[in-house]
Amino acid sequence: MESAAKDKMKPALPCGSSSPGPEWPEQERAEQLARGAALKWASGIFYRPEQLTRLSQYRSREVQRTCSLEARIKSVVQSYLEGVQTGVWHLSRALEAVQGTREALSQARGLLKSMAQASQSLEPLRERVIQHKQLQALSQLLPRLQAVPAAMANTQTLIDAQRLLEAYVSLRELEQLQEETWASLGGLELPVFQGLGLLAESLSQAIETAAMAARQLAREDPALLVAALRVAEVEAGRTTPVGQTPRDWRQRCLHALQTGLEQVHFSTTTLPEPGALAGWLKALQVALPAELATAEALVAPCCPPHYKVVQLWAHTLHNGLRRSLQHLLAGPELGAADAFALLHWALHVYLGQEMMGSLELGPEVDVSQLEPLLTLENIEQLQATFVAKVQASVAQWLQKALDGEIAEWGREQEPNTDPSGFYHSPMPAIVLQILTENIRVSSLVSESLQQRVHGMALSELGTFLRRDHLRGEAMAPHYVPYLLAAFNHQSALSSSVSILQPDGAASGVLAPIEAALDELQRRICRLVLEALQVELQPLFESVPSRQWLSSSELLDCVRDQTSRFCRDFWRVRSPAVELLLAEAERTVVLQYLQALMSGRLVCRDADERTQAAERLQHDAAQLKELFLGLGLEESSHCAPVLLALRELLNLRDPTLLGLEVAGLRQQFPDVSEDHVSALLDLRGDVSREQRQAALISLQDGPPPSPLMGHRALFSLVPAPTPSLSSCLPSGPCS
């Protein structure tokens, strides 16, 4: 029943409308929610029977509420309908206005068409009016136009006469007349003005020519220079008419000033020839400061202040010089003198107080902030060129010095001596002088160049020292004296080579040179000793022998020959002379030992062994006396080995040979089994078992004391080939 009442209360839909479900899903959902809420409310109210008595009250209340809602809905609909009616009225009025506007536009279009037709009919008249105005203006300008050719000719005459201000005034009058005529004739160009552009270009060229000759004009005709610059400045301040290209005479004038200055100092005709770079740089060292002084004193007063003439001059000279140097470096490779001159001049002289850094020049001359004359690549290229050229020159000179030294070996006279009597040659001093001079000169440029030249000098000196030019001169008349002179050369170089070490360099930088000098000393010493061996070998062919046992004549010959050979050793400076004497004494002893163990003599009995022992003692004393007389300290003698061998020969009981051999090994650790076996063969009384016992004691004896200084002796004597009778199972023949 409640639902039926609510259905009656629902407003009826207009005709032709349907349920808004599919079209208005929100409205359908709201209606469903309302129905559900109403059912819920009714079921709650009428759930208990006693509440049914109040149904009439609820119905009347709902009727009132429904009536209220309907009244409100009617009011809203009425307002909506009134608004729609008002809108429709406004639309009708707008439609009437649009129709009126359309009719007015149609009428205006017709009027415009008629006016355009009238305007087209007046076009010939308009053209006639324009022509009339042009003719009127032309008639007024005709007297002035007739004077244009003469004025142009007069302007050219003024230009040729270098009366530039008057020429510019005349040119501007002609240009103003051209502009006035152009404006009056509506942009029409008259043939009478065709040469005006060429006339302006002629004046521009005259101004540029004057600017290029500014240096000369500032001295001879400053008025002309001032006039040219004033014309350029007036033209720069003039407003260029629309449609015309501005004439940048100021920039052209500045460019001409720079071009003229560069042509004077840096044209291709002024660049130096190979080998003349130092002179060219020296001339620039004088010319450029003088040029800047001239600019400040003469050219600057003729120019506007904003030209900054001194700064312009300095920058122009700097850039021109830089381009010239780059052109030189791009050409043929420079020589060592040119490379050095350029490096030193560019890095030290140019910015120094002698030139651009002079206190007499103002701050405008500062070019330190500009691009440097030489780039890092240029400096590297010049340094590499200088080092390579100097290295080739040094190598060539050293070779010539060496060739001259070798040539002296063929002379029939001994080497030259100094006032002290020592063999002397200026070659070591000259070698060091030329190397140190190159290092010193390179230090004037930069530390990096000094380091490179220093490395080159050490390399060339090492190559020079390693050249073997001594052995091939063995047939020289005074071969040994010249070897001794070479000893002095080596000593002089060794004592003076430290001057090649630069300050602050590592202590081992001269190690290769010192090693080469030591090797040279050993080579010279070896050649001297080889010469001594050649002279002594024939004398030792009879040692040992029966004659040697019975007479000292053989050793006397050795002694005399050795004394004659060493008589010039005193001409060698210390400490090389001590080394020579020690090596000569050892060489004699080695020859003696080699002959003694050659197997030429075998003692037949105890008497001969005694004679041999006494001969060894006598010969040791003779050699000691000889070399003491020559100045060799006794501590450096090797002859005491003969006394040790004397004990080995003088031993009466062969069974005690093991003790003597062990003692020999203590004194001379380099003695071998072959050496001992050869010495035992010399005794002639050693059995196989005794030999074996002696050799075993050599192997098993106590090692020599490491504190004792032992010089190599037996190891330098070729081991004799043992005879078959002396071979032991453990020996080299086993």
Side-chain angles (χ1 to χ4, degrees):
M1 184 169 54
E2 181 67 19
S3 62
K6 290 189 176 183
D7 290 340
K8 291 180 180 180
M9 293 169 61
K10 289 174 57 178
L13 293 173
C15 295
S17 66
S18 60
S19 175
E23 298 181 3
W24 304 95
E26 294 82 359
Q27 181 181 355
E28 180 180 3
R29 185 169 179 274
E31 184 175 355
Q32 291 175 356
L33 292 175
R35 287 178 180 273
L39 289 174
K40 185 177 180 182
W41 175 81
S43 62
I45 292 296
F46 301 108
Y47 179 71
R48 290 179 292 180
E50 62 270 15
Q51 291 181 343
L52 293 176
T53 59
R54 300 171 62 182
L55 180 61
S56 60
Q57 296 177 3
Y58 289 127
R59 182 179 295 159
S60 62
R61 187 187 304 169
E62 290 299 324
V63 169
Q64 292 177 1
R65 184 182 297 174
T66 303
C67 290
S68 176
L69 290 173
E70 288 178 352
R72 291 171 63 185
I73 290 172
K74 288 180 180 180
S75 176
V76 171
V77 170
Q78 183 66 32
S79 298
Y80 175 74
L81 291 176
E82 289 177 357
V84 170
Q85 184 178 3
T86 301
V88 171
W89 182 80
H90 282 296
L91 287 175
S92 63
R93 298 293 296 174
L95 180 60
E96 292 175 0
V98 169
Q99 291 176 350
T101 302
R102 183 182 298 170
E103 292 176 358
L105 288 175
S106 178
Q107 293 175 2
R109 187 181 296 110
L111 292 174
L112 287 174
K113 288 182 180 180
S114 61
M115 290 178 65
Q117 293 175 357
S119 177
Q120 290 178 357
S121 63
L122 293 176
E123 187 65 27
L125 180 60
R126 184 181 296 107
E127 293 178 357
R128 291 297 179 88
V129 171
I130 294 173
Q131 292 176 358
H132 177 72
K133 290 181 179 180
Q134 291 177 348
L135 289 174
Q136 184 179 6
L138 189 61
S139 62
Q140 294 175 355
L141 296 173
L142 187 60
R144 297 169 62 187
L145 294 176
Q146 289 177 343
V148 167
M152 293 179 65
N154 180 57
T155 303
Q156 185 62 53
T157 302
L158 293 175
I159 294 173
D160 296 339
Q162 296 184 340
R163 297 163 62 182
L164 302 183
L165 285 174
E166 298 177 39
Y168 180 70
V169 171
S170 178
L171 175 65
R172 286 299 301 137
E173 291 177 352
L174 290 172
E175 289 177 341
Q176 290 173 358
L177 178 60
Q178 182 186 28
E179 295 170 2
E180 183 179 350
T181 303
W182 184 85
S184 300
L185 298 183
L188 181 64
E189 294 287 349
L190 297 180
V192 72
F193 293 108
Q194 287 182 351
L196 196 57
L198 297 176
L199 191 63
E201 183 62 26
S202 177
L203 178 58
S204 173
Q205 292 178 359
I207 293 173
E208 288 187 35
T209 302
M212 290 181 64
R215 300 169 61 259
Q216 180 180 358
L217 292 179
R219 294 186 180 90
E220 300 175 358
D221 192 359
L224 176 57
L225 177 60
V226 172
L229 298 178
R230 286 186 61 186
V231 170
E233 287 300 303
V234 172
E235 179 62 24
R238 181 175 68 88
T239 301
T240 305
V242 179
Q244 293 186 9
T245 303
R247 296 187 296 234
D248 199 356
W249 285 3
R250 175 189 290 170
Q251 292 300 322
R252 294 177 65 175
C253 190
L254 289 172
H255 180 70
L257 288 172
Q258 295 174 311
T259 302
L261 184 60
E262 288 187 7
Q263 287 181 354
V264 171
H265 297 285
F266 308 116
S267 64
T268 55
T269 58
T270 61
L271 294 181
E273 296 293 330
L277 181 58
W280 184 67
L281 295 175
K282 188 67 176 178
L284 288 179
Q285 185 176 343
V286 177
L288 298 190
E291 189 67 57
L292 292 172
T294 300
E296 184 177 8
L298 299 178
V299 181
C302 299
C303 301
H306 61 269
Y307 275 34
K308 298 180 179 179
V309 170
V310 178
Q311 184 180 35
L312 177 68
W313 245 238
H315 290 190
T316 301
L317 292 173
H318 178 84
N319 294 329
L321 177 58
R322 184 179 182 279
R323 283 191 292 271
S324 298
L325 295 181
Q326 296 299 322
H327 179 73
L328 283 175
L329 294 177
E333 189 177 50
L334 300 180
D338 286 346
F340 171 80
L342 181 53
L343 281 170
H344 181 262
W345 192 87
L347 297 180
H348 298 283
V349 177
Y350 179 67
L351 295 177
Q353 295 185 358
E354 301 177 10
M355 285 194 66
M356 309 304 282
S358 174
L359 299 177
E360 298 179 359
L361 301 175
E364 300 87 356
V365 182
D366 184 18
V367 294
S368 59
Q369 302 303 319
L370 300 181
E371 194 171 1
L373 294 180
L374 301 177
T375 64
L376 295 178
E377 291 77 7
N378 297 147
I379 295 175
E380 173 63 25
Q381 174 188 350
L382 287 171
Q383 288 187 355
T385 299
F386 176 75
V387 173
K389 298 290 186 180
V390 170
Q391 183 172 11
S393 177
V394 168
Q396 183 179 7
W397 186 92
L398 292 178
Q399 184 60 47
K400 288 183 178 179
L402 192 60
D403 294 341
E405 189 76 10
I406 293 174
E408 291 186 359
W409 288 48
R411 298 189 307 174
E412 294 296 333
Q413 59 183 14
E414 293 187 354
N416 298 327
T417 58
D418 61 11
S420 300
F422 297 109
Y423 287 135
H424 171 73
S425 170
M427 185 182 69
I430 297 175
V431 169
L432 290 176
Q433 180 181 0
I434 192 171
L435 295 179
T436 54
E437 181 64 18
N438 280 293
I439 295 174
R440 185 195 66 79
V441 168
S442 63
S443 67
L444 300 177
V445 174
S446 66
E447 184 179 354
S448 62
L449 182 61
Q450 182 186 13
Q451 292 175 354
R452 297 175 70 163
V453 173
H454 179 263
M456 178 276 297
L458 295 183
S459 174
E460 287 301 316
L461 181 57
T463 302
F464 172 75
L465 294 176
R466 287 189 292 271
R467 290 174 183 166
D468 191 359
H469 66 285
L470 305 172
R471 188 180 298 276
E473 304 299 324
M475 300 305 295
H478 299 280
Y479 174 62
V480 174
Y482 278 99
L483 284 177
L484 300 179
F487 241 120
N488 282 340
H489 298 169
Q490 184 273 341
S491 299
L493 289 173
S494 297
S495 61
S496 305
V497 73
S498 59
I499 65 175
L500 295 179
Q501 181 169 351
D503 296 336
S507 58
V509 69
L510 296 179
I513 300 301
E514 293 171 350
L517 286 169
D518 292 341
E519 176 60 28
L520 176 62
Q521 185 186 63
R522 288 191 293 270
R523 190 164 69 245
I524 297 172
C525 184
R526 185 171 62 251
L527 293 177
V528 173
L529 298 179
E530 288 176 358
L532 177 60
Q533 289 177 3
V534 170
E535 295 189 11
L536 294 181
Q537 279 178 354
L539 301 179
F540 278 107
E541 289 180 356
S542 300
V543 177
S545 62
R546 306 296 172 189
Q547 180 184 1
W548 169 72
L549 287 175
S550 60
S551 171
S552 63
E553 180 181 354
L554 293 178
L555 188 68
D556 291 342
C557 295
V558 171
R559 188 172 180 272
D560 294 341
Q561 187 66 32
T562 303
S563 178
R564 285 194 299 272
F565 186 89
C566 298
R567 71 177 183 274
D568 291 331
F569 280 14
W570 70 273
R571 296 186 182 276
V572 178
R573 292 185 177 274
S574 181
V577 63
E578 288 82 1
L579 173 65
L580 270 177
L581 287 172
E583 292 300 320
E585 193 262 353
R586 181 165 65 166
T587 299
V588 174
V589 173
L590 290 175
Q591 291 287 310
Y592 196 107
L593 291 177
Q594 184 175 357
L596 195 65
M597 293 183 286
S598 63
R600 299 192 189 104
L601 176 67
V602 176
C603 295
R604 294 175 292 191
D605 51 29
D607 292 338
E608 287 191 355
R609 285 191 292 274
T610 301
Q611 284 183 318
E614 292 176 353
R615 177 55 54 204
L616 288 175
Q617 183 178 8
H618 178 269
D619 292 350
Q622 291 295 310
L623 293 177
K624 177 181 178 181
E625 180 183 356
L626 169 64
F627 283 98
L628 284 175
L630 291 174
L632 180 63
E633 295 181 0
E634 186 175 356
S635 59
S636 301
H637 288 198
C638 294
V641 68
L642 302 181
L643 299 178
L645 299 183
R646 168 187 173 277
E647 297 298 329
L648 187 65
L649 293 177
N650 201 30
L651 185 65
R652 297 292 182 179
D653 187 358
T655 60
L656 301 178
L657 285 174
L659 296 176
E660 288 296 333
V661 169
L664 182 65
R665 182 172 182 269
Q666 284 291 321
Q667 298 181 55
F668 306 99
D670 59 342
V671 66
S672 67
E673 292 183 4
D674 292 337
H675 294 132
V676 173
S677 182
L679 293 173
L680 295 180
D681 287 341
L682 179 61
R683 282 182 58 90
D685 63 340
V686 181
S687 65
R688 186 181 186 89
E689 290 76 12
Q690 292 170 346
R691 183 189 301 273
Q692 184 176 1
L695 295 180
I696 290 175
S697 66
L698 178 67
Q699 298 173 358
D700 299 339
S705 174
L707 299 179
M708 297 178 61
H710 301 288
R711 293 178 64 192
L713 199 60
F714 282 95
S715 59
L716 301 178
V717 178
T721 302
S723 61
L724 293 177
S725 61
S726 63
C727 286
L728 298 175
S730 60
C733 297
S734 59

